[in-house]
Amino acid sequence: MKVSRRFKLQIVISGILALSILFTAAIWLFASFQVNKKSLETSYLKNNYWYAKKLASETNTLLSSMGAVLQTVADQAAYHSVREMQEDVAALMDSREPYFNSVFIVDQNRVVQAVSPSAMGSSVGQQLDSSVSQRAVTLKKPFISNPYRGITERLIVLVSYPIFDRSGGYKGFVGGTIYLEGDNILTNMLEKHYYENGSYVYVVDRAGHLIFHPNKQRLSEDVSENKIVAKVLKGEEGFGRVVNIEGKSFLAGYALESKSGWGIVSQTPSSITNEPICNMIVHSVKLAFPFVVLVWFIAWWISRRISRPLQQLASYTEETTKTLGQPPVPIPRVRTNIYEIQQLFESVKYSSQHVHSYLSQLQEETQTDGLTGIANRKTFDFVMKDLMHNDIPFSLILLDIDHFKKINDTYGHPTGDEVIKFLATVMPDVIREGDMCFRYGGEEFCIIVLYSDEEVAGNIAERLRQTMEQSISPAGIAATLSLGISVFPKHAVSPNELVKLADKALYQSKQEGRNRVTIFSQGFSGHV
């Protein structure tokens, strides 16, 4: 009987120990999965929103440029002969980066006067009878059409500009066509999503019909019932989760292009957030499994005299469960001469440290900017609140790159990204030990200078400004900075207000010519 009771006790003890460890690990992993999944989804939603906003801005700029090109041709057509007009449109199509797939000029009766290329489906002397050309003549003003099927059955968007003679009489219009199913400057800009993980962009016209989609077969499809499309067609902008007609869930951001009334949607499959977290869980389970087996094997041979060490271990696992997301609880030191008991505690400690290490690594990824490798906006907000909560004085330097949009437009967005990364490598070299650098968003960065006043922060800011001014960026030019400084608690005692004041100082630097440092004060007195 004694042997039987002893055997049962060993099974109970080892079972309880194994279940306790497994249960703690399961709670830990589940909580980490939920927290990090929510954080990743929020990050994707916001990034897709800003990407949609960016594309809307770039599309607006592109359409404005298209209109300006057509206006130039229209101005010339008011004075030139038919032959000269043909040369104008041919020269436009022969330019290094043509905006349109074809360009043509028609008179007030919609008779084609000039066209390039000649294989577009219309010829000189032919009268256009499409409703779109009729509307362009009726409006007698700049016009961007909804998609329509042209003579060649291509899906087309027409951009037109009216032609008036010297006395103001209407002579017709110059039109440029964009083939939505072919290659052109607009579709090339939209087709490659920066995530490259299944994310993509689509564009709808004012009526909710697809005018751009990676799947060309869906062009002109009516998707106005999609709740995201319905919102953007009402003029709303934002982000949210959406399920498409195929039942797939996406994390979408959306924005409206004001000139054409097009809605631009950038979206990422919701499932994409599961992969990194699931990989962490699988890796952690594989790592922990042999240690769990080892714990169970050692516990099998434990006797009654290990009751107290087991109680200590149970208390440890309970505290670990209560402090998920915090630094690991130190494992208690067990005083025993039994080798198996000592190995048991070492195994539990080793397993817990590795699981915590992987969770910490995943948490660090959510706090670091993916492009530059420095801390991101989320970490900045946390550090600001923590410093203010503990009444630690500091100065805030808010900065951004002057004329960054021009760098992007001139050298391309990949070069713009390299300029951002270049600034991120320069910043740590000019700050003091203990100061912190963050990417605030886009080309905007910030520095927290601990235990400092305006003079210390101003010297650091000026050193950074001079370094960038005297350095050649990846764009092949010096990328200058505008900087603004505010101080806690002198200027403000809340994070939002402190950032707002630093931003005001930054704005003054911009207003006064850029490439300078401004320290906030009542009335904005003095530059560094």
Side-chain angles (χ1 to χ4, degrees), residues 126-138:
Q126 179 180 354
Q127 184 181 39
L128 302 181
D129 58 1
S130 67
S131 60
V132 171
S133 62
Q134 293 174 9
R135 180 164 174 76
V137 170
T138 302

Side-chain angles (χ1 to χ4, degrees), residues 26-292:
I27 293 178
W28 200 340
L29 292 174
F30 177 76
S32 174
F33 179 88
Q34 294 298 323
V35 170
N36 287 285
K37 180 178 176 65
K38 184 176 181 180
S39 177
L40 285 172
E41 286 183 349
T42 300
S43 176
Y44 273 110
L45 285 168
K46 291 183 177 179
N47 286 342
N48 275 322
Y49 168 62
W50 287 114
Y51 189 59
K53 289 274 287 184
K54 170 178 170 290
L55 288 179
S57 175
E58 291 177 354
T59 301
N60 182 275
T61 301
L62 178 60
L63 292 174
S64 296
S65 299
M66 289 177 172
V69 169
L70 294 180
Q71 181 182 5
T72 300
V73 176
D75 291 342
Q76 294 172 346
Y79 301 97
H80 289 183
S81 66
V82 172
R83 183 183 63 80
E84 291 171 326
M85 288 189 290
Q86 180 65 43
E87 292 177 354
D88 289 339
V89 296
L92 178 58
M93 291 304 299
D94 290 338
S95 61
R96 184 170 60 89
E97 293 186 359
Y99 287 115
F100 304 102
N101 294 102
S102 66
V103 179
F104 60 91
I105 297 175
V106 300
D107 63 16
Q108 66 269 31
N109 296 316
R110 305 190 310 279
V111 176
V112 178
Q113 302 297 309
V115 60
S116 181
S118 58
M120 68 162 281
S122 298
S123 58
V124 174
Q126 179 180 354
Q127 184 181 39
L128 302 181
D129 58 1
S130 67
S131 60
V132 171
S133 62
Q134 293 174 9
R135 180 164 174 76
V137 170
T138 302
L139 287 175
K140 296 182 176 59
K141 63 181 181 179
F143 171 57
I144 300 175
S145 76
N146 286 331
Y148 68 98
R149 292 288 176 183
I151 298 174
T152 59
E153 290 302 314
R154 294 187 178 100
L155 189 61
I156 297 173
V157 167
L158 171 67
V159 183
S160 69
Y161 201 92
I163 302 172
F164 296 95
D165 59 23
R166 298 181 182 183
S167 61
Y170 181 69
K171 293 182 61 178
F173 67 87
V174 55
T177 61
I178 302 171
Y179 296 166
L180 298 179
E181 296 162 321
D183 291 332
N184 53 67
I185 192 170
L186 177 62
T187 57
N188 290 339
M189 180 183 72
L190 296 171
E191 66 183 357
K192 187 175 182 181
H193 199 287
Y194 72 104
Y195 273 147
E196 298 184 348
N197 60 357
S199 302
Y200 63 89
V201 171
Y202 67 86
V203 182
V204 296
D205 65 11
R206 302 178 187 91
H209 294 91
L210 287 171
I211 63 174
F212 175 82
H213 194 281
N215 182 358
K216 301 295 185 183
Q217 295 180 349
R218 296 190 61 186
L219 292 179
S220 77
E221 179 182 334
D222 185 354
V223 293
S224 58
E225 295 300 320
N226 181 298
K227 69 175 185 179
I228 291 296
V229 173
K231 287 182 178 180
V232 76
L233 292 181
K234 292 179 182 178
E236 299 179 20
E237 295 184 344
F239 53 82
R241 184 188 293 270
V242 64
V243 178
N244 68 3
I245 59 176
E246 298 175 349
K248 296 180 180 179
S249 177
F250 289 87
L251 305 172
Y254 51 95
L256 184 71
E257 196 289 303
S258 58
K259 181 176 290 295
S260 62
W262 296 344
I264 298 178
V265 181
S266 171
Q267 60 184 24
T268 299
S270 299
S271 59
I272 210 73
T273 60
N274 294 332
E275 184 177 354
I277 303 175
C278 289
N279 288 341
M280 180 276 297
I281 291 177
V282 171
H283 198 100
S284 299
V285 169
K286 288 181 179 179
L287 180 67
F289 180 75
F291 298 104
V292 172

